[in-house]
Amino acid sequence: MSMLDKLKGLIKGHPDQARQGVEKAGDAFDTKTQNKYQSQVDAVQRKMNEQIDADRPPTDEQR
């Protein structure tokens, strides 16, 4: 089992906590780099959140 598969398994069923972790990690990286790479970090955060949402089963509202 690859590391990516393990991460997907941990995230599955906990998308809100995963999203919070992505935001917190991005904010920490921005702080460390004094926002030098803020636009790139924001782009990665958006992509990761999209991926988290893609793995989420559709709700009644989305059907």
Side-chain angles (χ1 to χ4, degrees):
M1 181 182 272
S2 71
M3 182 66 141
L4 185 57
D5 292 334
K6 288 180 183 180
L7 286 173
K8 283 183 179 181
L10 291 172
I11 290 172
K12 194 171 191 163
H14 306 284
D16 295 332
Q17 289 93 344
R19 210 172 284 103
Q20 287 175 349
V22 168
E23 289 300 317
K24 195 171 187 178
D27 293 346
F29 190 83
D30 282 338
T31 300
K32 278 280 197 193
T33 60
Q34 298 173 348
N35 293 326
K36 185 175 181 179
Y37 304 103
Q38 185 175 14
S39 62
Q40 291 93 333
V41 171
D42 290 344
V44 170
Q45 286 175 315
R46 267 193 305 280
K47 288 289 186 182
M48 290 184 77
N49 284 329
E50 287 172 10
Q51 188 65 38
I52 291 168
D53 289 337
D55 291 341
R56 187 180 227 174
T59 61
D60 289 336
E61 295 171 2
Q62 295 172 337
R63 291 182 186 169

